[in-house]
Amino acid sequence: MSDHGDEFSAVGKSFPRLEGFEKVTGATRFLTDLELPGILCGKVLRAPYPHARIVSINTKRAEKLIGVKAVITAEDTPKVPFCIIPRVANKLPLEDKKVRYIGDEIAAVAAETEEIALEALDLIEVVYEELPAIFEPEEALKPDAPLLYEETGTNIAEHFYKEYGDVKRAFQEADHILEDRFETSPVTPCCMEPRSCIASFDGSGRLTLIANTQAPFSLRQELSKVIPLPIKKIRIIKLPIGGAFGSRLGMDSIDPICVFLSRKSGKPVKIVNTREEEFVTSRYRYRMVIYLKTGVKKDGTIVAREAKVITDNGAHNYQGYTITAGLCQKLTFVYKIPHIKFDGYVVYTNNVYGGAFRGYGNPQITFAAESHIDMIAEKLGMDFLDLSLKNIVEPGHKTISNCQITSCGLRECMIRAADVTGWREKRRRPGRRGIGMASMQHAGGGIMIFFGNINCNYSSAAMKMNEDGSVNLMTGSSDIGQGSDTVLAQIAAEELGIRFEDIRVTTADTDLTPMCLGTYGDRVTFIGGNAVVNAARDVKKQLLELASELLEANVDDLESKEGRIFVKGSPEKGISIPELAEFSYFKKGRPILGRGIYDDPISKPDYGTGYGTSPAYSFASQVAEVEVDVETGKVKVLRITSAHDLGRALNPMAVRGQIEGAMAQGIGSALFERLDWVDGRALNSNFLDYRMLTALDVSAIDPIFIESIDPNGPFGAKGVGEPALVPTAAAIANAIYDAVGVRIKSLPITPDKILAALEEKNSISKRWSNEK
Amino acid sequence: MKHHIETKINGVSYHLEVEPHWTLLELLRRVMGLTGAKDSCGMGECGSCTVIMDGRTIYSCLTLAVRADGKEVLTIEGLAKGEELDPVQKAFIEHGAFQCGFCTPGMILSSKALLDENPSPNEEEIKRGISGNLCRCTGYNMIVEAIRGVLEGRVKRG
């Protein structure tokens, strides 16, 4: 946890946030705080039925209401479907024929005030013909199930199948086989700032969309197709954003709707979701049913794994396919398992459609996989730790799914987490307290994706040195609260040899900053950071050339440190960077501009997996300690110790923030959080009924940094934003089993499930003793 | 019909005409241009709209603007004295007690009111004091540490 000593001047230090002063004084302007002259309020009419045909929409009365400036339905739009994975796009910004979930967008209004806009929504008359609806993905697979997309003839949106090795034979050779069914719940991101956007056109018909986005350049592409407008006619700006966590990676219907409203009214339009709309329409973590089969030898060698996964895709395609297919890759990690079979079904239901939320499928599959490891250890009479250590991947290993591991501190993570917690002494101790472990692997530098038609994992940065030697760093990378602006400034300062305080950062404006694919897959530090390193090297090269001229020395003989460039070995023979900058601008007439790009140097696209590989992988092991109240079924998490292989902690305080924050979300989804859908309607669409953690619910968190120094990471760093919540549910489930001997295989692990399991366990043991 | 109210906001007295249905949050954000208090749930569940009225924290989204008549309101914009931050604000920066920063104004004001009311809260009292403010980014522990940091700073200064 300690800061690095003298090795570096800027990285490895806990610099406070660049934007700290603004954020603690209320000066930060979020999108929802922004007003423009003449701006209109946009509101969306959403479907009240989970599945219905739209017979007619009459907007006449709404249009006549004084103060209403635009009313739109699908007929006012080009009806181009969108999806972050364009190949499977089937969501219209405004639906025209059918609605498929409670919340589907069908019309929208722009009015002078919110009150008028809401009144206008009430005046829109829609005639629906209700259709039978389906809400459980396993039921949706039955032959007589109602179809969401009749033209496809099935509710299977996507199917992904893959086999590595010879799974059938491997299971025949296994000494023990375990088969279990696990289930996860829909967990919603609860961003504190509701999703919102502001659209406006200038006199030339050029669009500016200020959006809550993690990926402005992807949004520009998505929007360009749907509006449609050429890329050059669109500017996307991301302002400070009140939370995203993956859920704001792709376009939402409100983005194009806002644009259509602005185009029709000729005015800027702002749409802000209500909190209820956030709960009803946000991209949440897909719920999955996971059938897992694991084969193991007597000595604890895991020989085969087979998973059948059914993902509730909800009503429209979004990331169901990539998230589900990606699980196959996850199964080939953590442990070296030679034979793996994966069968994934992405199934339509009349629930809201899901998406990415911190972990990208990993929390779901890791809950199942690491619970299973605990069950196998129990069956073999082995300790979880020994069983894990026997099978884990090592540095340099290439998975059967073709992922090249470079740095890997997984073994150290496990051993440190166990040592710190006194694992062996506490395990299987009598009483109501229990201890459980789980581990994970996650992309540490983004994933290879298709951007348009190009396969890449790319970011770029530009740097302008001013005449006083200060630097403006411009990058497409989006700080969504995690603190990437600060870390990228640290990287720039380190590489340039100037002070952190002398860097200003401008990000995520498609007119002003170079391109970046966005903030996802733990890629900004690794990919964005490397782009910044390269831009800084470009600036440094220009400075060295200037210094070489002024100092009459070879570039190779010069060194840059602490804001000065000097001849190696004779620091007195040098010149300060501000002097060089001044010289460049005023004597040479040459601005100092640097540029840098970075694309994954290792990965090759693997079309077979349907999911990209990463240039680096992060690892973590967690130990949860819990206390279970057998009277009430309540679980108290006493402490979670989380050891992370993160390459290098570039800003230890920011890293800790990522781990602490993710962990709170992990504990929440393990024990409390679930959208309670009944017939497609979320009954808990508010903060009182949807239980996210409060300050009173958090437990002690003990983060441990394992610095494996990745060969390709900027200063050895890898991503660490997502991992901390990935193994939490399994670690807690395993700890609960250790405490009271019941195995809960569905999330969240609520008191009623524990009480029911305890009752069943007691009645079985009672029956057993009676029979004896 | 509009109501006339006299209120002090961040130390400045105002005579204002407000609609009877306006919330204090609407008054602050729309009329006064004070956007530090946030509109996140509109139902008094998340605490993003927290301000201090006559020394007590309130949810400004549940408080009618007319209730501010004759009262003193402190918003996040009034906490620092120019460039000089309040110790709570400083501690939030030093301890990394925020990420996205959206809940931060409310969280800081709740922390301040807590410390004003109870100069030496224990861990449980600190957690209770901020439990009406939701934060999705930090997991709260670093916020609790920031508040403890303020207490330790007071001890050091004597």
Side-chain angles (χ1 to χ4, degrees):
Chain A
M1 289 291 298
S2 64
D3 285 6
H4 291 276
D6 297 331
E7 193 184 348
F8 298 111
S9 61
V11 304
K13 312 228 178 286
S14 290
F15 280 102
R17 294 300 182 95
L18 282 177
E19 76 285 11
F21 188 91
E22 288 79 8
K23 279 189 175 166
V24 300
T25 54
T28 300
R29 292 281 168 148
F30 292 85
L31 200 170
T32 38
D33 298 330
L34 210 66
E35 294 293 335
L36 296 174
I39 197 163
L40 302 175
C41 172
K43 283 280 167 194
V44 178
L45 185 67
R46 298 178 178 280
Y49 302 110
H51 199 189
R53 206 173 303 287
I54 302 170
V55 178
S56 66
I57 306 180
N58 185 343
T59 59
K60 285 210 176 70
R61 285 175 65 209
E63 281 159 25
K64 280 183 191 149
L65 187 68
I66 291 169
V68 170
K69 300 296 173 189
V71 182
I72 56 168
T73 67
E75 299 314 311
D76 299 280
T77 72
K79 299 188 195 179
V80 181
F82 69 93
C83 179
I84 192 162
I85 303 156
R87 177 177 64 82
V88 293
N90 61 10
K91 171 81 188 105
L92 289 175
L94 291 167
E95 296 297 335
D96 63 341
K97 293 190 177 70
K98 254 175 71 161
V99 293
R100 294 177 180 86
Y101 82 95
I102 295 175
D104 237 351
E105 296 81 357
I106 44 177
V109 299
E112 282 168 358
T113 67
E114 186 179 1
E115 291 75 13
I116 298 170
L118 288 171
E119 198 182 336
L121 288 189
D122 281 343
L123 294 174
I124 298 174
E125 293 155 20
V126 188
V127 179
Y128 295 97
E129 178 197 332
E130 274 190 81
L131 298 167
I134 190 101
F135 306 102
E136 291 303 321
E138 285 181 288
E139 282 173 30
L141 287 172
K142 290 177 182 164
D144 57 343
L147 295 176
L148 273 82
Y149 295 87
E150 292 90 349
E151 64 278 14
T152 64
T154 172
N155 281 326
I156 299 172
E158 294 275 343
H159 177 219
F160 177 80
Y161 177 85
K162 185 88 189 166
E163 182 171 352
Y164 297 106
D166 186 345
V167 172
K168 198 174 162 195
R169 215 190 66 209
F171 275 118
Q172 282 166 358
E173 288 165 7
D175 295 320
H176 297 283
I177 294 171
L178 257 77
E179 283 185 79
D180 288 277
R181 179 185 190 272
F182 296 89
E183 203 175 343
T184 70
S185 59
V187 181
T188 196
C190 295
C191 303
M192 295 311 294
E193 181 181 34
R195 190 160 189 154
S196 40
C197 53
I198 295 175
S200 61
F201 285 89
D202 69 11
S204 73
R206 191 164 188 272
L207 166 70
T208 298
L209 184 76
I210 307 173
N212 277 157
T213 177
Q214 301 173 223
F217 290 91
S218 307
L219 178 56
R220 188 171 64 172
Q221 280 214 347
E222 281 196 80
L223 203 56
S224 152
K225 287 180 206 152
V226 171
I227 301 303
L229 267 181
I231 293 276
K232 66 181 176 188
K233 288 263 203 182
I234 303 174
R235 177 183 187 182
I236 308 282
I237 300 172
K238 179 208 74 83
L239 293 177
I241 180 171
F245 311 113
S247 67
R248 290 162 181 185
L249 184 47
M251 189 166 82
D252 185 79
S253 286
I254 65 167
D255 299 319
I257 287 173
C258 199
V259 174
F260 295 134
L261 286 172
S262 177
R263 181 184 268 165
K264 190 163 179 183
S265 64
K267 298 264 192 182
V269 177
K270 179 179 182 179
I271 297 181
V272 180
N273 273 352
T274 62
R275 181 52 56 186
E276 191 184 2
E277 283 178 305
E278 282 293 287
F279 277 102
V280 170
T281 73
S282 286
R283 306 286 73 77
Y284 61 91
R285 184 175 299 145
Y286 287 107
R287 69 166 171 162
M288 294 178 181
V289 176
I290 299 168
Y291 292 91
L292 193 63
K293 183 174 167 187
T294 308
V296 64
K297 291 277 193 192
K298 276 188 202 126
D299 68 352
T301 307
I302 306 168
V303 290
R305 221 182 215 173
E306 184 178 326
K308 182 182 171 188
V309 174
I310 298 157
T311 301
D312 182 351
N313 194 36
H316 302 286
N317 282 331
Y318 200 66
Q319 288 157 307
Y321 179 70
T322 45
I323 285 178
T324 306
L327 303 182
C328 177
Q329 190 196 82
K330 305 269 178 254
L331 286 176
T332 69
F333 262 102
V334 183
Y335 307 109
K336 285 184 272 190
I337 305 173
H339 306 280
I340 284 178
K341 188 167 126 181
F342 181 88
D343 201 8
Y345 295 85
V346 185
V347 182
Y348 291 119
T349 66
N350 293 106
N351 296 313
V352 54
Y353 58 111
F357 170 23
R358 215 171 192 166
Y360 214 75
N362 210 354
Q364 294 97 311
I365 196 74
T366 300
F367 169 60
E370 288 293 274
S371 293
H372 230 202
I373 296 296
D374 203 48
M375 294 160 79
I376 292 165
E378 167 91 8
K379 185 151 193 155
L380 295 175
M382 273 179 93
D383 186 80
F384 179 98
L385 180 62
D386 298 326
L387 177 66
S388 283
L389 287 172
K390 190 175 175 64
N391 290 284
I392 54 169
V393 295
E394 307 275 354
H397 173 74
K398 191 173 201 170
T399 68
I400 48 173
S401 54
N402 212 23
C403 298
Q404 180 61 55
I405 297 173
T406 51
S407 59
C408 173
L410 182 55
R411 179 173 292 274
E412 292 83 344
C413 286
M414 281 183 188
I415 290 172
R416 281 286 298 283
D419 283 352
V420 166
T421 51
W423 169 263
R424 292 199 195 270
E425 298 83 67
K426 287 182 184 164
R427 188 78 167 157
R428 302 289 183 249
R429 223 170 31 179
R432 303 294 181 221
R433 288 195 170 187
I435 187 166
M437 189 188 276
S439 302
M440 71 105 236
Q441 155 277 342
H442 201 77
I447 48 167
M448 193 57 81
I449 62 154
F450 279 104
F451 187 77
N453 296 317
I454 302 154
N455 204 281
C456 58
N457 181 3
Y458 168 99
S459 187
S460 55
M463 241 177 233
K464 171 170 75 77
M465 183 169 272
N466 299 302
E467 67 273 26
D468 64 349
S470 68
V471 163
N472 292 87
L473 166 63
M474 289 147 291
T475 153
S477 300
S478 304
D479 194 328
I480 54 173
Q482 82 278 37
S484 60
D485 285 1
T486 304
V487 169
L488 294 178
Q490 286 178 259
I491 290 172
E494 186 68 52
E495 190 62 36
L496 283 170
I498 68 171
R499 294 187 314 161
F500 171 75
E501 294 78 8
D502 291 334
I503 313 256
R504 280 198 64 78
V505 183
T506 303
T507 59
D509 178 330
T510 59
D511 267 14
L512 302 181
T513 64
M515 202 165 88
C516 172
L517 299 189
T519 299
Y520 58 85
D522 283 351
R523 68 190 294 281
V524 178
T525 296
F526 192 102
I527 303 288
N530 271 322
V532 170
V533 166
N534 289 336
R537 283 182 184 158
D538 190 8
V539 167
K540 205 155 111 182
K541 182 167 164 275
Q542 296 170 43
L543 292 174
L544 286 170
E545 280 165 7
L546 290 166
S548 146
E549 188 182 327
L550 283 172
L551 299 174
E552 294 174 342
N554 253 330
V555 167
D556 295 339
D557 298 331
L558 296 175
E559 194 177 344
S560 170
K561 212 173 171 185
E562 288 165 7
R564 275 170 57 81
I565 290 179
F566 51 86
V567 178
K568 281 178 195 163
S570 31
E572 73 290 345
K573 200 179 172 210
I575 184 166
S576 76
I577 286 177
E579 283 174 292
L580 276 174
E582 210 179 275
F583 175 71
S584 183
Y585 276 98
F586 299 116
K587 297 279 166 27
K588 303 289 284 183
R590 189 199 296 161
I592 302 174
L593 298 169
R595 59 184 178 174
I597 70 154
Y598 189 79
D599 202 349
D600 177 353
I602 297 177
S603 306
K604 295 278 177 290
D606 185 348
Y607 300 98
T609 61
Y611 184 73
T613 48
S614 182
Y617 297 95
S618 297
F619 298 88
S621 290
Q622 255 170 29
V623 172
E625 295 173 69
V626 305
E627 189 172 74
V628 183
D629 183 331
V630 291
E631 301 299 323
T632 62
K634 263 184 91 170
V635 176
K636 188 172 181 206
V637 178
L638 304 169
R639 171 177 289 274
I640 297 190
T641 305
S642 197
H644 290 262
D645 166 16
L646 41 69
R648 183 194 299 281
L650 297 185
N651 183 324
M653 183 165 76
V655 167
R656 202 186 138 213
Q658 287 304 295
I659 293 171
E660 292 263 357
M663 197 83 77
Q665 296 175 352
I667 294 169
S669 48
L671 297 177
F672 309 115
E673 292 186 39
R674 168 182 57 199
L675 285 167
D676 282 324
W677 292 324
V678 173
D679 294 346
R681 191 180 299 276
L683 299 185
N684 57 346
S685 54
N686 58 70
F687 283 131
L688 278 189
D689 296 319
Y690 185 92
R691 281 284 318 278
M692 70 174 257
L693 265 60
T694 74
L696 288 167
D697 303 312
V698 292
S699 51
I701 310 271
D702 191 2
I704 296 169
F705 301 169
I706 304 293
E707 300 197 311
S708 60
I709 314 299
D710 189 80
N712 298 309
F715 304 99
K718 301 189 278 193
V720 73
E722 299 177 70
L725 65 64
V726 171
T728 309
I732 289 175
N734 294 345
I736 291 169
Y737 184 83
D738 187 55
V740 292
V742 297
R743 171 70 54 190
I744 310 297
K745 290 181 264 185
S746 76
L747 294 179
I749 305 173
T750 44
D752 56 309
K753 290 180 189 170
I754 290 188
L755 289 178
L758 281 170
E759 198 171 314
E760 193 186 346
K761 185 186 163 219
N762 290 338
S763 72
I764 288 171
S765 58
K766 218 179 274 170
R767 214 163 47 220
W768 202 65
S769 60
N770 285 347
E771 279 166 14
K772 269 210 299 194
Chain B
M1 202 190 83
K2 284 200 176 173
H3 288 249
H4 180 85
I5 63 166
E6 287 181 45
T7 181
K8 207 179 227 186
I9 300 174
N10 298 332
V12 180
S13 295
Y14 294 92
H15 291 254
L16 298 165
E17 301 289 320
V18 302
E19 294 283 355
H21 61 271
W22 279 0
T23 63
L24 180 58
L25 182 63
E26 284 175 293
L27 175 70
L28 293 172
R29 287 178 62 85
R30 289 196 195 165
V31 181
M32 308 303 294
L34 297 169
T35 55
K38 302 299 178 201
D39 188 356
S40 176
C41 74
M43 296 166 79
E45 292 167 356
C46 74
S48 303
C49 65
T50 302
V51 299
I52 295 177
M53 191 156 85
D54 282 359
R56 294 192 56 192
T57 52
I58 53 162
Y59 291 149
S60 64
C61 77
L62 287 188
T63 308
L64 287 173
V66 289
R67 291 254 333 265
D69 190 24
K71 304 262 171 59
E72 236 176 274
V73 177
L74 177 71
T75 75
I76 192 69
E77 289 89 347
L79 192 55
K81 303 279 169 278
E83 296 280 293
E84 181 59 27
L85 295 175
D86 184 270
V88 178
Q89 291 171 309
K90 266 188 216 159
F92 265 60
I93 294 178
E94 285 161 13
H95 290 264
F98 58 86
Q99 288 178 31
C100 83
F102 197 80
C103 75
T104 308
M107 196 65 88
I108 286 176
L109 290 173
S110 285
S111 308
K112 176 171 168 55
L114 162 76
L115 293 174
D116 286 349
E117 202 179 299
N118 178 358
S120 53
N122 62 28
E123 182 97 0
E124 179 70 16
E125 287 165 336
I126 292 175
K127 286 184 175 176
R128 198 163 292 283
I130 58 166
S131 64
N133 294 72
L134 295 179
C135 168
R136 191 55 153 173
C137 295
T138 64
Y140 304 104
N141 285 332
M142 291 166 86
I143 297 174
V144 173
E145 282 166 28
I147 297 170
R148 277 211 307 260
V150 177
L151 295 171
E152 282 157 21
R154 278 183 191 169
V155 173
K156 266 186 221 155
R157 281 196 306 274

